[in-house]
Amino acid sequence: MRPSKSVAGASRRAVLAAMPLSAALIPLSATHAAGGTPRDGAPALTAATATTAAFRRAADALFRDRTAALVRGTPPRTTALRTIGGVRPAPAAARSEAGTLAALHGTRSRLASLGEAYTGSDTEVTVDSVRLQGRTATVQVTESTTLTYAKIRGDEPDTTAFVAHHELTFAADPDGTWRLTGEHLTDKGPRPVNAPLPVGMGAAAHPADIIDAPRSAIAYPAPARPKNLGGGARYDYAAMAAYAEKYWKDYNTAYRRYNSDGGDCTNFLSQALRAGGWKQVTHSAADYGTWYSRPSGDSGTWIGVNEWSWFTQTTKRTTALAYAYQMGVGDVLQIDFDRDGAKDHSMLTTYRSASGVPYLTYHSNDTYRRSLPSVIAAYPNAAYYAYRS
């Protein structure tokens, strides 16, 4: 069943900072003739090594600029007047990226108001594929970024990290240079903290006898609701967190992956809960009364965002928390990005600071210890659902 809708080192920074506005653009001479010529008379293109490297540098510079807006608060630059990693953006792409950088300054301000900041970052980009069609290149890349938490409260973990997948498009100009024409995130989960605003998703209906979870407030600090993590705990919450933090980007091959089929977030959550002692239910007369992963297939409640909520609330596997900041290790947060009544994404709390800030680990996009303030800053108008497991 398809799930519900679910800086780098100083030397490298110096090189990027020193890049002149007149940096050489990558010419078509860095590609080979592919045989035949298009109607405009220019040679057809193939992805030569030099060109692929240029595409990677452009993507690397693009995502470093975005992260720098969060870390250092550098003013947005007029990207139309400069190159990005040796590739000049087309005017529309330049305007779009300038808007993205400006929006990230708003995210940085919201983070500051929620008590969070970053002191550094490291970003690496790899090119997964290059497809040339005529004089257009479509490039799939993977971004791996680690952000270092500023010790504002003093009990933050050292870092948060995520892996994100993007598609970039480039067009070859008549004068023999490439221009960046567009970029978008290809992952179906929540956007990482350095990405532009999301696109809304559709609603999902449910049977009348299913219990819906109430929304959770996002005020900080939250009224105390301590969680029993000791010998009398209902489940092994440390095991849940350990599982999630082990497999947040190196997937457990014992389970299926749903990244290309609506997102892997709830599948990953269910795996972690099982590692902490949740028992599978393979037979039930009730709607959404089962929860299992078997060689023959996974239940909708195992992999679906809303279905998981309906199962856990109706069977009392979870209890709703009035405040998201009440979450402890092993508790769950779900988000309805566009507040349309259908939940879109599931995350597990794998760390909680002494000052009461939960940190979340999840798939789609693959992310390690992202703080609740960071999520709220990125989605200030979303609806939040917190669950005690």
Side-chain angles (χ1 to χ4, degrees):
M1 178 176 180
R2 182 185 177 103
S4 295
K5 63 168 194 163
S6 318
V7 187
S11 61
R12 194 167 186 178
R13 290 198 302 268
V15 171
L16 290 173
M19 184 181 293
L21 297 181
S22 59
L25 304 181
I26 304 303
L28 292 188
S29 58
T31 64
H32 316 292
T37 58
R39 293 179 180 178
D40 63 4
L45 308 177
T46 60
T49 301
T51 307
T52 300
F55 294 153
R56 189 203 64 78
R57 288 196 301 272
D60 188 79
L62 187 75
F63 301 130
R64 287 176 186 275
D65 275 0
R66 293 181 180 181
T67 307
L70 293 174
V71 176
R72 298 192 297 273
T74 50
R77 289 175 282 182
T78 306
T79 54
L81 300 180
R82 68 179 189 90
T83 60
I84 298 176
V87 176
R88 189 180 299 279
R95 290 192 296 271
S96 176
E97 191 59 23
T100 293
L101 294 177
L104 286 170
H105 280 266
T107 299
R108 185 173 186 268
S109 297
R110 289 193 297 273
L111 281 168
S113 70
L114 293 164
E116 179 163 314
Y118 310 114
T119 61
S121 66
D122 180 71
T123 294
E124 295 294 334
V125 171
T126 58
V127 174
D128 302 319
S129 68
V130 177
R131 186 177 76 254
L132 292 174
Q133 186 173 8
R135 302 176 68 79
T136 299
T138 302
V139 183
Q140 307 291 335
V141 304
T142 297
E143 172 198 6
S144 299
T145 291
T146 299
L147 288 156
T148 302
Y149 283 115
K151 299 297 184 179
I152 295 175
R153 296 184 174 93
D155 54 5
E156 293 87 348
D158 291 336
T159 61
T160 180
F162 64 85
V163 175
H165 303 90
H166 308 261
E167 180 177 281
L168 288 79
T169 53
F170 299 84
D173 280 349
D175 65 355
T177 59
W178 288 102
R179 282 184 182 268
L180 174 67
T181 56
E183 176 275 331
H184 71 271
L185 192 70
T186 60
D187 297 309
K188 296 182 182 299
R191 71 186 188 279
V193 68
N194 70 341
L197 296 175
V199 176
M201 301 180 183
H206 66 82
D209 60 341
I210 294 298
I211 297 175
D212 254 338
R215 292 179 182 177
S216 302
I218 55 175
Y220 175 85
R225 189 172 176 182
K227 184 173 186 177
N228 180 12
L229 299 175
R234 186 179 180 186
Y235 300 110
D236 188 342
Y237 301 112
M240 295 177 185
Y243 181 95
E245 295 194 346
K246 178 179 180 179
Y247 293 109
W248 75 270
K249 68 174 179 177
D250 298 319
Y251 285 40
N252 186 346
T253 57
Y255 292 96
R256 295 173 184 80
R257 296 174 62 164
Y258 291 92
N259 303 72
S260 60
D261 190 26
D264 197 61
C265 61
T266 309
N267 176 42
F268 180 57
L269 168 65
S270 291
Q271 294 171 32
L273 295 172
R274 184 183 183 188
W278 276 38
K279 302 300 182 185
Q280 299 190 78
V281 181
T282 57
H283 296 88
S284 174
D287 288 327
Y288 303 102
T290 60
W291 179 80
Y292 60 81
S293 178
R294 298 187 298 192
S296 58
D298 302 320
S299 67
T301 56
W302 181 278
I303 62 177
V305 182
N306 292 282
E307 292 86 345
W308 179 91
S309 175
W310 300 335
F311 165 75
T312 65
Q313 285 286 279
T314 305
T315 61
K316 304 189 186 305
R317 284 280 181 102
T318 61
T319 56
L321 291 170
Y323 293 85
Y325 275 98
Q326 291 175 327
M327 291 188 301
V329 172
D331 289 339
V332 176
L333 182 69
Q334 294 189 315
I335 307 177
D336 174 4
F337 295 127
D338 50 11
R339 300 174 71 95
D340 66 356
K343 304 169 190 69
D344 301 302
H345 182 61
S346 305
M347 299 175 277
L348 182 73
T349 303
T350 60
Y351 181 88
R352 179 181 169 88
S353 70
S355 58
V357 176
Y359 291 79
L360 302 146
T361 298
Y362 53 90
H363 280 179
S364 304
N365 303 326
D366 302 343
T367 296
Y368 167 82
R369 290 192 180 183
R370 182 172 183 175
S371 72
L372 179 58
S374 167
V375 176
I376 294 171
Y379 295 93
N381 299 316
Y384 293 85
Y385 300 83
Y387 306 81
R388 175 136 297 167
S389 66

